[in-house]
Amino acid sequence: MAVRCLITAGPTREYFDPVRFISNPSSGRMGYALAAAARDAGWTVDLVSGPVSLPEPAGVMLYPVVTAEEMMRQADALFGPCDVLLMCAAVSDWRPALRQPSKLKKDGRGLTVELEPVPDILAALAARRRAGQVLVGFAAETEDVEANARLKLDRKGVDLVAANSVAGPDGAFGSDTNALILLGRDGYRLGIGPASKAEVARCLVAEVATLLAAR
Ligand code: CTP
């Protein structure tokens, strides 16, 4: 069966002037490992990526974006025909309400930047999903990893949530290795790793393939 897979990866950046932004430490490695694993499984892969310092993976279509708004538009355009969505990006949850057109000058005083929420990309895509699609969200948690992640199954309207800890120096951000707890409907639970992100990605793609075949 031909499978088309949409993957988001990396952080987003939200600028408040031309040279300053808020973001997070996501390296994009987990999303890029998923893209390679999905490609190796024979799937057609669209990879929507925030700014990362990783080589372009061979054999996938790469769509670079910067902000959550751009990621939203690009993912929205690619979502319709996809069979699998792996929403691995670490989307910035807030963005500056104002983006100054020129560099802000210091004046020796503090700076207050008002932030507004960005749209929830995954929830918006899930709201218009079609039958047969498999949607996987990721949950980046610093505490009560499993309980918090399980709440996201319903909140985001997805089939699986891959929960990982981003707390402390052993957290997933920037690391070569990862450990995931994959959570699904009816109490489904599978621990993957700790292992290299490449190995974790292979296991996750295999689980999604099983779910897809059962549909
Ligand atoms: N996500 C998204 N759009 C956002 C924020 C998150 O699509 N604006 C996606 C992430 O890519 C991930 C899932 O939602 O697949 C969960 O992200 P996470 O950061 O763990 O949770 P949040 O929804 O941001 O909730 P909270 O920060 O309160 O844990």
Side-chain angles (χ1 to χ4, degrees):
M1 169 191 167
V3 175
R4 181 159 208 116
C5 179
L6 170 60
I7 299 173
T8 66
T12 62
R13 284 182 187 170
E14 310 299 333
Y15 284 82
F16 58 92
D17 83 4
V19 293
R20 301 180 180 106
F21 55 82
I22 63 164
S23 189
N24 60 67
S26 168
S27 66
R29 279 189 213 157
M30 192 63 233
Y32 278 55
L34 285 169
R39 173 203 64 205
D40 292 348
W43 297 357
T44 300
V45 179
D46 291 320
L47 175 63
V48 178
S49 175
V52 297
S53 310
L54 295 172
E56 184 170 342
V60 315
M61 276 298 293
L62 178 67
Y63 300 85
V65 297
V66 177
T67 65
E69 184 69 36
E70 288 169 11
M71 183 170 279
M72 169 100 156
R73 277 210 214 110
Q74 190 60 73
D76 195 56
L78 295 165
F79 181 66
C82 85
D83 303 296
V84 176
L85 169 68
L86 305 178
M87 188 77 203
C88 190
V91 184
S92 175
D93 287 313
W94 295 276
R95 65 182 164 212
L98 278 179
R99 180 172 174 167
Q100 301 296 337
S102 47
K103 187 183 168 196
L104 286 167
K105 291 294 179 195
K106 292 194 290 290
D107 60 5
R109 286 184 291 181
L111 175 69
T112 302
V113 177
E114 188 189 341
L115 301 177
E116 64 180 22
V118 303
D120 190 316
I121 303 171
L122 182 54
L125 294 177
R128 67 177 189 88
R129 67 184 294 172
R130 51 177 180 77
Q133 284 178 313
V134 174
L135 272 50
V136 183
F138 279 68
E141 308 291 349
T142 53
E143 66 268 298
D144 298 331
V145 173
E146 198 165 331
N148 278 328
R150 201 163 265 293
L151 294 177
K152 288 177 186 171
L153 269 177
D154 284 328
R155 184 142 59 78
K156 304 273 180 172
V158 294
D159 304 289
L160 293 170
V161 169
N164 53 188
S165 169
V166 290
D170 296 332
F173 277 147
S175 169
D176 277 332
T177 59
N178 200 3
L180 293 179
I181 305 171
L182 200 55
L183 302 168
R185 306 277 154 193
D186 305 322
Y188 170 96
R189 181 190 191 279
L190 177 72
I192 304 178
S196 69
K197 285 185 174 173
E199 183 55 28
V200 169
R202 273 192 291 276
C203 292
L204 199 150
V205 165
E207 281 305 301
V208 173
T210 306
L211 204 60
L212 209 51
R215 298 214 149 167

